[in-house]
Amino acid sequence: MFRAAAQLHAALAGQQLISSDFRVPRFATLKLGGWTVTEVVPRGKHLLMRLEGPARAGDGGIPAAPDRLTIHSHLKMEGTWQVYPPGGRWRKPGFTARCVLRTAAADAVGFSLGILEVVRTSEEDSVVGHLGPDLLGPDWDLAEAERRIRAAPDVPIGVALLDQRNLAGIGNIYRCEACFLSGVHPAAPVSAVPDVAAMITDAKVLLEANLGAGRRTTVLNRRGAVVGRSSGLPGYWVYRRENQPCLKCRTPVRRGVLAKATGTEERDIYWCPTCQPLPGPA
Ligand SMILES: [Zn+2]
């Protein structure tokens, strides 16, 4: 999401929209031609495109404060935003397009978006305010993220890390990999995790190591540098490595599913049964 936002920001920030086309019933008649994109920012897995309305005359000839709107989208499982040269041929079927934003320099098209809505920028909190601290945001707060996770001690740590109300930004890959790096079984309850803050910090390091272009990987060296891209090693410690040998102990990696919990999607987990034993009676 961070990469998607950076790409959209580079293409759209400072640009005036020539036209907008919202292909969802609620906003089908909304036209934002003449509005200027000021910035595109990620908030957890949410994307916020902020826009400023055309200048208006105010009282006594002093320009009025511009209107500000935010296009809020969420990719869910299938969604993607793509940037094309003006009039460029789309790489996704047209019927999956939900939002088309056109500027003189680029077309930005959101396909199969899980959420698409337009809110006043001053009311952004109503759509993303429920999110916990953002791992990549300027307001990152490790203590607050840990406090939210520890507030539900019986929840499996693998579920807690994925719950965006605790902290925003960890997807399934980083959830699985952070558990492996701490030697914690993803199904272990939060109360059994010795160092929640260390797991969160690992996830943050992995996220930050993958902000650039290139194949995503979590296999870093001791100084935090990425080694998994070029060394011939797999890109991940356990993620999608079912039945393949653990990179530390050679035990075959296992795959399973954590029970669905409120507010989170059910996703596969991967773990090494030797490096990440389940605490307590089996
Ligand atoms: Zn192992």
Side-chain angles (χ1 to χ4, degrees):
M1 186 51 82
F2 194 93
R3 284 193 205 179
Q7 188 199 15
L8 286 165
H9 182 85
L12 297 178
Q15 299 285 325
Q16 190 176 56
L17 297 183
I18 295 170
S19 66
S20 69
D21 183 2
F22 292 89
R23 301 181 181 179
V24 292
R26 199 172 143 203
F27 298 103
T29 60
L30 178 65
K31 299 295 176 200
L32 296 178
W35 286 64
T36 299
V37 179
T38 57
E39 59 182 343
V40 182
V41 296
R43 187 83 173 87
K45 294 177 179 177
H46 299 252
L47 196 68
L48 303 174
M49 291 182 183
R50 296 179 179 140
L51 300 100
E52 196 174 271
R56 292 176 293 122
D59 292 338
I62 302 164
D67 293 321
R68 296 182 190 279
L69 291 175
T70 296
I71 301 171
H72 165 228
S73 58
H74 189 294
L75 304 184
K76 293 286 171 74
M77 299 298 280
E78 304 287 322
T80 178
W81 277 95
Q82 296 184 349
V83 176
Y84 299 99
R89 187 181 164 85
W90 298 349
R91 294 186 302 273
K92 295 271 183 184
F95 70 87
T96 64
R98 293 292 171 266
C99 182
V100 184
L101 304 175
R102 175 158 293 174
T103 73
D107 291 349
V109 187
F111 297 94
S112 304
L113 302 173
I115 295 173
L116 175 64
E117 61 184 349
V118 182
V119 298
R120 293 188 187 284
T121 299
S122 59
E123 293 164 8
E124 271 179 11
D125 272 2
S126 68
V127 291
V128 294
H130 61 285
L131 293 174
D134 190 324
L135 280 149
L136 298 175
D139 57 346
W140 168 240
D141 185 340
L142 173 62
E144 173 62 13
E146 183 181 7
R147 188 192 68 75
R148 291 184 182 215
I149 288 176
R150 286 198 184 280
D154 298 333
V155 171
I157 184 66
V159 172
L161 288 173
L162 213 51
D163 189 333
Q164 307 292 304
R165 296 168 302 180
N166 289 334
L167 72 177
I170 297 184
N172 197 25
I173 294 172
Y174 299 105
R175 178 261 295 260
C176 293
E177 301 291 279
C179 287
F180 175 82
L181 290 173
S182 278
V184 170
H185 193 293
V190 165
S191 58
V193 176
D195 194 342
V196 171
M199 296 187 74
I200 298 171
T201 301
D202 280 344
K204 182 170 163 64
V205 167
L206 297 180
L207 273 166
E208 288 172 342
N210 283 282
L211 291 181
R215 190 164 67 90
R216 189 155 43 184
T217 178
T218 59
V219 182
L220 313 179
N221 66 20
R222 285 180 198 282
R223 293 186 304 280
V226 167
V227 296
R229 281 187 195 132
S230 56
S231 61
L233 289 168
Y236 303 119
W237 293 103
V238 289
Y239 181 73
R240 289 199 171 158
R241 295 197 61 243
E242 184 184 10
N243 296 327
Q244 296 175 49
C246 169
L247 297 180
K248 285 186 179 171
C249 75
R250 316 296 297 170
T251 306
V253 170
R254 302 271 294 274
R255 180 170 69 97
V257 175
L258 271 181
K260 195 177 177 77
T262 314
T264 62
E265 293 153 17
E266 185 175 292
R267 307 286 292 276
D268 286 348
I269 53 171
Y270 300 84
W271 75 97
C272 169
T274 302
C275 295
Q276 300 166 267
L278 195 57

